Amino acid sequence: MTAASYIAMAICLSIVAALASMLGIGGGSLNTPVQVFFGYPIHGSAANSLLFIAVLSTGATLIYGRSGKIDWKLAMVLVTFNFAGGFLGGYFAGNISGRELTAILAAVVFLSGLSMMVSSFLKPRRSLAKNGVFIWKRRLGSEEYYINLLAAFPLSFAAGAASGLVGIGGGMVTVPMLAILFAVPVDIAIGTSALMVGITAVGGLIGHIVAGGWVVLPAIGLLPGIIIGSIAGAKLMLHISKNMLKRIFGISLIFIAIILVKEIFKQ
């Protein structure tokens, strides 16, 4: 890879970090394809992506935490399932061919983009289930919502597994799950997810390290742009229309999924 290509990739990844930070989704669905586009192998790109997500999460969490947009208790409960799934996904990623990983990534990106589009057109609603052994009543500031743990636990594990396999943050599942299924206000869902995706990414990254074969050095130079982008994106999220951003981001994800499908047939 030439110096010009490396710089171009760094700029693209910084922009991705800003967009991902706005939505609390980690950005792996974009920065993994970006790395592949610039010539990185899919397995190395997935591991690098998890490192980027962990760093991005740190910057975004600082902003959202100060703004009161993170449900810390909810995040800590759900992230245990994210982390377990992330570790297993990262550990077994090396046993799956590059073509198969690309196909998984394309499917996850497409479904995530579609869910973003759908959620942007749905009107906010109140939680349907408010009572039961597995219903957890939550309150953050003036907001009140109810979490069905029987649904939240397996979905969080699945989000973590997808994270470890293909280097996404898991927030593309977590944010729609919280906002659509449990009627968590979208700004709280985004802030809470921003914290969770970083911890989940660490689980996937440990899985890659234990499995071996990951070279971290090329990714180090890309981290400053990730940090700047994550902080800028989190600050912007507090002042822009989230639904419009979801629609733009959803269209982008669907477009990227189409490109990845084309890449599968070229392999």
Side-chain angles (χ1 to χ4, degrees):
M1 177 180 291
T2 65
S5 296
Y6 190 84
I7 293 172
M9 182 172 67
I11 293 172
C12 290
L13 291 174
S14 180
I15 294 172
V16 167
L19 290 171
S21 182
M22 290 180 194
L23 293 174
I25 62 173
S29 60
L30 287 172
N31 60 41
T32 297
V34 165
Q35 292 175 84
V36 171
F37 176 80
F38 281 98
Y40 266 76
I42 182 67
H43 292 92
S45 296
N48 287 347
S49 177
L50 292 168
L51 173 63
F52 300 156
I53 292 167
V55 173
L56 180 155
S57 171
T58 302
T61 297
L62 289 174
I63 304 300
Y64 293 140
R66 291 174 182 174
S67 302
K69 302 297 183 182
I70 299 178
D71 187 333
W72 297 92
K73 289 184 179 180
L74 177 61
M76 291 300 100
V77 170
L78 296 185
V79 83
T80 57
F81 293 85
N82 277 160
F83 189 92
F87 174 80
L88 290 177
Y91 183 79
F92 288 108
N95 298 325
I96 304 176
S97 70
R99 185 172 184 176
E100 290 172 335
L101 273 181
T102 304
I104 293 172
L105 179 58
V108 171
V109 169
F110 177 80
L111 292 174
S112 299
L114 188 61
S115 69
M116 283 289 182
M117 289 290 292
V118 171
S119 66
S120 72
F121 289 101
L122 295 177
K123 294 181 179 180
R125 64 171 179 80
R126 295 185 178 276
S127 302
L128 296 178
K130 296 185 177 182
N131 297 298
V133 176
F134 297 100
I135 303 300
W136 187 16
K137 178 181 177 180
R138 301 294 305 139
R139 180 184 292 275
L140 188 62
S142 61
E143 302 289 353
E144 186 177 282
Y145 42 93
Y146 301 80
I147 307 300
N148 185 331
L149 297 178
L150 284 180
F153 288 165
L155 287 174
S156 295
F157 182 87
S163 169
L165 276 174
V166 295
I168 66 173
M172 293 182 299
V173 176
T174 301
V175 172
M177 175 185 75
L178 294 177
I180 299 173
L181 294 183
F182 307 133
V184 177
V186 67
D187 54 347
I188 296 175
I190 288 173
T192 302
S193 176
L195 168 63
M196 291 173 60
V197 295
I199 301 174
T200 303
V202 171
L205 191 58
I206 292 173
H208 278 277
I209 293 172
V210 172
W214 176 48
V215 180
V216 67
L217 189 60
I220 298 299
L222 301 170
L223 295 182
I226 300 293
I227 295 171
I228 294 171
S230 67
I231 294 175
K235 289 184 176 180
L236 284 173
M237 191 283 282
L238 302 174
H239 303 286
I240 65 175
S241 168
K242 303 175 194 60
N243 279 340
M244 181 57 67
L245 187 58
K246 280 184 178 181
R247 292 165 194 168
I248 295 173
F249 203 73
I251 292 172
S252 300
L253 292 182
I254 292 172
F255 178 74
I256 290 172
I258 294 172
I259 294 176
L260 287 172
V261 170
K262 291 183 178 179
E263 289 296 321
I264 293 172
F265 290 103
K266 290 180 181 179
Q267 295 177 6

